Amino acid sequence: MQAKIKKVELRNLEIEDYKQLKKSMIESYPEMADSYWGSEDIERLLSIFPEGQLVILVDGKVVGSALSLIVDEKLVEKRHNYQQISGDYKFSTHNPNAEILYGIDVFIHPNYRGLRLGRRLYDARKELCEQLNLKAIVFAGRIPSYREHAKKMSPKTYIEKVRTKELYDPVLSFQLSNDFHVLRVIKNYLEGDEESKEFAVLLEWNNIYYDDSPKLINLKKNIIRLGLIQWQMRPLNNVEALFEQAEFFIDAVSGYGSDFALFPELFIAPLMADYNHLSEAEAIRELARHSDPIRKRFQEFAISYNINIITGSMPYLEGGNLYNVGFLCKRDGTSEMYTKIHITPNEVIHWGMKGGSNFKTFDTDCGKIGILICYDVEFPELPRLLADEGMDILFVPFLTDTQNGYTRVKHCSQARAIENECYVAIAGCVGNLPKVNNMDIQYAQSSVFTPSDFAFPSNGIKAEATPNTEMTLIVDVDLNLLKELHEHGSVKTLKDRRKDLYELKKLNS
């Protein structure tokens, strides 16, 4: 993991990127150092198919790229090598009216491998394939570890052993894990590829949304997948044990393609057991020392697992005051802090916590979201102000010890979904912490609530976890349904407000 990564960006390649692109390409292919694309080649690619050329930047530096053409299916079906499929390296095979997105290059700088950046490039290619209504993605992948086994087995046997995980190939294993399947082996594909003995594996990914009849495709993502983590409170030896458990769940929900992972309020409380000899107020201030390291590690997880993470909440010291805060760690590597506005009597009495003074919506790659911590959702003014800013999804990390407390959070969250015509996702902690003062019992049932109209579940509940059981909840929400509701719903609670009689506004912004 690179130290102090501030931002990861995936975008289309620009000619101004060429110097960095060339440098990263050379360092990515040390065995073929003279085989990089020239600036005139990149200019030609950008002139014929700019949307098909992608780059990954880390802190403004080009560290990876994926280059593509659109070619005829018949050309792919023929026996071909790299020179032929690329039109003698001049890209004359590109046909914008053809059916196949053909990958002619993909690489990640060796210093930035292990962050799943290559997966992002492949996912972006899949999205492009769907958006352009192309039939499939095809490319010929190298098998660089084959050289070590060439004397003992044929390429066919080697590929089968990689497929069954008896052998590992740094390129082919990755491609197979990204839902590509083998079409055939190609001999003499790339001249000079000694590691692969000039063999390549023709791989394909099929676009299940492909339609023979051309039609316009909505390019904006509207189906958002939420991953809610119902966290079991358990003794933890140290912060690394917390990271290990958190990464397990992040890996799980990202493996299902979730766009967000939501953790509960104060889920890091087990770490307070080391300070049980102190007063409750002193113990939670010791716990606050972990907040910045946790934020930094969760930023790394957001990059590695390509998911936006809402870190629940944790104590945070600032200017001598103790706050209850959390962090939105975006998959581009950036993060933003949110603060609990309304502090419960228990938090004041036992911990001396103070409420924050700023709240807002957050712009993400999946639309505008709001985040309110537990008690805050019981005050309808806050979600209404966020709805006025365009919020589509409200996330509520919570912590309740009894079913009474949970009932308040649940029913208030349901009300917020109805009155603000948005989705509300809540996630809480379960289990017991007998060795942590003031945190001994928990009750939760994580859920996703919807508005109440014909396009949504009749009870306004999209999905619910099993009460008081550690688990994840994976839920898809459709933002298009909210747009329809705003304009054509049975009732329109946002539009029908009598602003001639009353209004709600922030006193400071």
Side-chain angles (χ1 to χ4, degrees):
M1 178 71 202
Q2 290 292 304
K4 298 182 180 178
I5 288 179
K6 296 180 180 178
K7 186 169 185 178
V8 177
E9 181 183 8
L10 189 155
R11 60 166 170 79
N12 287 109
L13 173 65
E14 300 170 357
I15 193 59
E16 290 78 11
D17 299 321
Y18 178 71
K19 287 185 178 179
Q20 291 186 20
L21 181 80
K22 175 183 173 182
K23 184 177 180 181
S24 287
M25 203 180 315
I26 291 172
E27 294 188 37
S28 298
Y29 300 125
E31 68 281 4
M32 296 184 289
D34 297 325
S35 299
Y36 57 85
W37 294 107
S39 59
E40 68 279 7
D41 301 319
I42 298 301
E43 284 188 25
R44 190 176 296 112
L45 264 181
L46 292 176
S47 68
I48 63 173
F49 188 28
E51 59 267 48
Q53 320 316 321
L54 307 170
V55 284
I56 287 270
L57 294 89
V58 173
D59 296 335
K61 175 184 175 183
V62 175
V63 301
S65 180
L67 310 177
S68 308
L69 300 172
I70 299 175
V71 302
D72 293 317
E73 189 172 14
K74 291 182 180 178
L75 187 60
V76 172
E77 291 172 350
K78 294 179 181 178
R79 294 283 174 180
H80 62 270
N81 59 30
Y82 191 65
Q83 183 175 356
Q84 292 166 339
I85 201 68
S86 64
D88 199 23
Y89 312 116
K90 302 299 182 184
F91 318 123
S92 59
T93 51
H94 176 71
N95 177 3
N97 299 314
E99 314 85 6
I100 303 298
L101 186 67
Y102 196 100
I104 59 171
D105 207 344
V106 62
F107 67 87
I108 296 292
H109 190 289
N111 290 348
Y112 294 86
R113 291 170 186 169
L115 295 174
R116 296 177 174 84
L117 300 182
R119 187 179 296 273
R120 293 200 195 196
L121 289 172
Y122 278 95
D123 288 345
R125 267 186 179 166
K126 291 173 184 177
E127 290 181 12
L128 180 65
C129 184
E130 292 174 0
Q131 291 168 4
L132 297 178
N133 192 33
L134 300 176
K135 191 173 184 179
I137 301 172
V138 176
F139 61 88
R142 302 172 61 238
I143 43 175
S145 292
Y146 178 60
R147 179 172 59 180
E148 304 167 15
H149 304 276
K151 293 182 180 180
K152 298 179 288 184
M153 64 186 72
S154 67
K156 181 179 178 181
T157 303
Y158 176 79
I159 292 167
E160 181 60 20
K161 287 185 177 294
V162 172
R163 189 188 67 79
T164 58
K165 295 183 170 55
E166 295 177 61
L167 294 175
Y168 173 78
D169 186 280
V171 177
L172 182 58
S173 295
F174 174 76
Q175 292 160 345
L176 293 175
S177 71
N178 275 276
D179 300 322
F180 286 86
H181 60 269
V182 175
L183 292 177
R184 61 178 180 271
V185 178
I186 304 179
K187 189 177 181 180
N188 300 323
Y189 182 73
L190 180 61
E191 184 178 355
D193 185 7
E194 290 300 321
E195 288 184 312
S196 306
K197 295 297 181 180
E198 296 190 356
F199 287 101
V201 183
L202 196 67
L203 294 135
E204 182 181 52
W205 176 84
N206 297 108
N207 176 15
I208 62 172
Y209 301 109
Y210 175 69
D211 189 344
D212 289 349
S213 57
K215 62 181 180 181
L216 293 176
I217 296 179
N218 189 349
L219 301 183
K220 186 178 179 181
K221 186 173 186 179
N222 288 297
I223 306 297
I224 310 302
R225 182 160 293 177
L226 313 180
L228 279 56
I229 296 155
Q230 190 156 283
W231 179 271
Q232 172 81 41
M233 292 293 206
R234 55 166 62 82
L236 296 170
N237 292 330
N238 50 47
V239 72
E240 287 301 322
L242 176 89
F243 291 148
E244 182 178 344
Q245 188 69 15
E247 185 175 11
F248 166 79
F249 283 114
I250 294 168
D251 187 11
V253 299
S254 71
Y256 285 102
S258 297
D259 297 292
F260 290 95
L262 173 63
F263 283 85
E265 179 185 22
L266 294 176
F267 76 101
I268 72 168
L271 297 176
M272 207 155 40
D274 288 345
Y275 315 119
N276 229 24
H277 60 286
L278 302 174
S279 71
E280 292 163 349
E282 291 172 323
I284 200 162
R285 281 163 172 76
E286 288 296 314
L287 183 64
R289 294 190 300 124
H290 294 293
S291 295
D292 277 326
I294 289 172
R295 175 185 59 80
K296 292 174 184 177
R297 183 64 68 90
F298 274 71
Q299 281 182 273
E300 296 176 4
F301 289 153
I303 294 172
S304 291
Y305 291 95
N306 192 22
I307 190 170
N308 301 300
I309 302 174
I310 297 163
T311 67
S313 82
M314 56 201 75
Y316 190 82
L317 278 170
E318 186 175 62
N321 294 320
L322 183 69
Y323 298 96
N324 190 347
V325 312
F327 302 95
L328 168 60
C329 297
K330 300 180 185 179
R331 50 185 156 201
D332 68 0
T334 61
S335 71
E336 297 185 75
M337 188 169 75
Y338 50 89
T339 308
K340 192 170 185 177
I341 304 299
H342 300 91
I343 302 301
T344 64
N346 187 63
E347 290 172 294
V348 175
I349 294 169
H350 294 283
W351 294 333
M353 274 190 169
K354 292 185 177 293
S357 56
N358 294 307
F359 60 97
K360 64 173 187 175
T361 53
F362 299 92
D363 291 312
T364 74
D365 56 359
C366 298
K368 278 187 181 291
I369 68 166
I371 308 171
L372 296 175
I373 301 173
C374 197
Y375 193 30
D376 284 338
V377 80
E378 298 177 32
F379 297 83
E381 297 89 349
L382 294 187
R384 174 52 56 88
L385 288 167
L386 297 180
D388 284 341
E389 293 180 11
M391 174 182 67
D392 294 313
I393 308 171
L394 174 62
F395 292 94
V396 182
F398 72 91
L399 178 72
T400 50
D401 54 356
T402 66
Q403 195 164 358
N404 305 70
Y406 169 72
T407 297
R408 291 194 296 270
V409 171
K410 174 185 177 180
H411 288 298
C412 288
S413 296
Q414 281 194 277
R416 304 298 86 90
I418 293 170
E419 65 200 18
N420 295 303
E421 298 177 341
C422 66
Y423 296 104
V424 179
I426 69 173
C429 293
V430 300
N432 307 310
L433 277 177
K435 294 185 178 180
V436 177
N437 294 332
N438 201 38
M439 295 291 295
D440 42 3
I441 59 173
Q442 328 294 330
Y443 183 95
Q445 184 178 21
S446 302
S447 310
V448 175
F449 304 119
T450 73
S452 184
D453 213 326
F454 296 113
F456 304 94
S458 58
N459 63 356
I461 300 174
K462 178 72 174 178
E464 289 181 306
T466 303
N468 273 6
T469 301
E470 184 171 55
M471 62 182 293
T472 60
L473 194 63
I474 311 294
V475 185
D476 285 348
V477 295
D478 188 343
L479 301 188
N480 272 335
L481 295 181
L482 298 181
K483 295 176 185 176
E484 286 288 323
L485 178 68
H486 298 333
E487 299 297 327
H488 308 294
S490 302
V491 295
K492 297 183 274 291
T493 53
L494 290 178
K495 288 191 172 214
D496 290 344
R497 284 175 292 168
R498 290 288 305 275
K499 293 185 178 180
D500 58 321
L501 298 177
Y502 60 88
E503 65 177 347
L504 182 66
K505 64 180 181 180
K506 290 183 180 180
L507 295 181
N508 57 356
S509 57

